[in-house]
Amino acid sequence: PRPRPAPGPWLELSKPTFMKAPEDQIGISGGVASFVCQATGEPKPRITWMKKGKKVSSQRFEVIEFDDGSGSVLRIQPLRVHRDEAIYECTATNSVGEINTSAKLTVLEEDHLPAGFPTIDMGPQLKVVEKARTATMLCAASGNPDPEISWFKDFLPVDTATSNGRIKQLRSGALQIENSEESDQGKYECVATNSAGTRYSAPANLYVRGKTAWSVKRAGWASRLSREGPCQCSRVSGNCSQAKPHRGDASVRGDAWVTGNTDRPGSESR
C-alpha cells in the first residue's frame, strides 16, 4: 500500500473572540452611522448583524466586509429618527462556538442637537496626487468636549497602525498618506465624535495617477478630457474643484476615475 502522507500542522480550534466591538452612537437625521465588528477564532468566525432579533435588511443598510475577512461594518445612511433607533447586535460564529455583542443607536433631529455636538469646520476635498508622492486629506472639527477625529475609506475605518508609518493622522486631524499607491485611491470621510454625538463629513475622492494620458473611465464608457477639463486642480495642494464645462467639452457625470500625466494644465505640479 502507498505510504500515508505526513500530517500537516494541527490548527488549534478556538471559539470566536471580539477584536473590535460596536459602540453606542448618537447620529443626526439624514446622516451616517457605522458599527464596526471584528472577531478572531479558528476556524475564522462569520459575522452577522441583527436588529430587534431579525437580520438587518433595508436599502439604507449596507454591510461592508474587511478585506482580511476579520469582520464587517454595518453602515446606515441616511439615518431616520425613530425608525433606526434600536439595539444592533453583532454575532460571531464558527464551529466551536458563538458570541454576541450589541450597541445602541440614537438619532437626533438637526434642530434638536445638544450643545457641544460636533461640527465639521473643514472636510476633505477631491484630490489628485501623483503616485509615490504625499497626499493630505484635510479635516477640522469643533465641539465640546473637543471631538476625536477618525477616518473611513470606502466605508471601512482607516487603520494607520497597519501601514508601517506610511499613513498617519496628524494632530490637526488631517490624514497624511506618504508614498501614495493605487490602493490608496478611494472615497474618504472624516468623522468627528464626542460625548454629544457623531458627525460625518461629506465624502471626497482621492485619485492616484500614473504618467498615462489623462482620461476618464466609467463602467462602459470612456471620454477624453478637454484641456480645461471638468476639474481644476491646485498646483500646490492638489485639491480640485468642479469647473463649468466649456462648449465642446466631454460630458462627465458622477464620480470618475482619473489618471493622468503631469503636462496637463491645472494638474498638480511635481
Side-chain angles (χ1 to χ4, degrees), residues 138-153:
L138 301 178
C139 182
S142 57
N144 188 18
D146 289 338
E148 293 185 7
I149 291 177
S150 57
W151 286 86
F152 278 71
K153 173 182 177 282

Side-chain angles (χ1 to χ4, degrees), residues 68-105:
D68 61 4
S70 63
S72 62
V73 171
L74 173 63
R75 182 182 173 98
I76 309 171
Q77 181 186 20
L79 292 175
R80 296 286 182 257
V81 176
H82 306 309
R83 188 186 304 180
D84 295 332
E85 292 185 313
I87 302 294
Y88 293 86
E89 185 177 278
C90 170
T91 301
T93 310
N94 67 8
S95 58
V96 183
E98 177 180 298
I99 55 174
N100 304 280
T101 186
S102 62
K104 179 183 179 181
L105 174 61

